[in-house]
Amino acid sequence: MRSEALNKRLKFKSDSEPGKPGAFALWAYRLVRLFLGAVFLYAGAVKISAPHAFADLISTYHLVPGPLLPFAAVGLPLAEMAAGIALMADLKGSLASVAALLALFCLVLYYGILSGLDVDCGCFSNGELAEIGTLKNALWRDIAMLFSVFTLYGFRLAYGRSPRTPAQALALITNALRKEYPR
């Protein structure tokens, strides 16, 4: 009896519908998803606002050939922004995109640590190294965000929640606009 009560509290299930997430779990899922999406949107927007500075920063890692630097300096922030927006909209594939980007960032940061680079991580702003301290701190932050991605995956698996397809998201927006602006 006691373990059932504890199990209910840990899973945050509602009493009315077994197997459905409770209000706390649902809101926690939404908040983590929105926060992580906003972080990616912001990080991409900061980088895309100064692509030359970001290209210079990428070149310090010596991982991207010179002719490809402009493409990486624009493409990576656009991918971050797209993944962030898609995650905030809870679109199919967005969580996998964010996980892949975070894994890439973790690998690059780890490479920078192993190489002994004393450079800005390039995550959010050009002066970030002074703000966060070291590449190790940036790596731990990215690992924490990766852990939150796995937490979101866990929520989806535990409650059978699936993300929206782009068509479903478009239908949702269209219906909301029709209610707001009837003909």
Side-chain angles (χ1 to χ4, degrees):
M1 182 67 117
R2 185 175 182 163
S3 65
E4 288 177 29
L6 180 62
N7 198 21
K8 277 187 181 179
R9 277 187 285 173
L10 290 177
K11 291 188 180 179
F12 305 110
K13 291 185 179 181
S14 63
D15 294 331
S16 59
E17 296 182 58
K20 297 286 183 183
F24 176 79
L26 191 56
W27 279 105
Y29 170 79
R30 288 177 181 157
L31 287 175
V32 170
R33 185 174 48 80
L34 290 173
F35 175 76
L36 197 57
V39 166
F40 269 76
L41 181 60
Y42 173 75
V46 167
K47 291 173 195 164
I48 201 75
S49 68
H52 295 294
F54 186 54
D56 290 342
L57 195 131
I58 293 173
S59 70
T60 60
Y61 284 93
H62 305 292
L63 292 172
V64 178
L68 298 179
L69 277 174
F71 298 107
V74 173
L76 189 60
L78 289 177
E80 280 184 278
M81 291 171 61
I85 291 169
L87 186 59
M88 288 190 291
D90 203 14
L91 295 180
K92 191 170 266 185
S94 61
L95 202 52
S97 300
V98 168
L101 285 169
L102 280 171
L104 173 70
F105 298 156
C106 286
L107 288 172
V108 169
L109 289 170
Y110 188 65
Y111 168 80
I113 292 167
L114 290 179
S115 300
L117 296 177
D118 187 24
V119 296
D120 182 8
C121 76
C123 303
F124 295 102
S125 65
N126 287 337
E128 188 178 5
L129 188 60
E131 296 169 18
I132 63 163
T134 64
L135 290 180
K136 285 182 184 178
N137 291 346
L139 177 62
W140 284 113
R141 181 192 56 214
D142 284 1
I143 289 171
M145 286 193 290
L146 196 55
F147 178 75
S148 68
V149 167
F150 293 132
T151 303
L152 292 174
Y153 270 124
F155 180 90
R156 286 181 178 177
L157 286 173
Y159 296 112
R161 185 168 178 87
S162 60
R164 297 178 185 98
T165 63
Q168 290 170 329
L170 187 60
L172 205 92
I173 293 168
T174 305
N175 288 337
L177 288 174
R178 284 185 185 152
K179 289 178 184 176
E180 186 68 29
Y181 303 106
R183 292 183 184 195

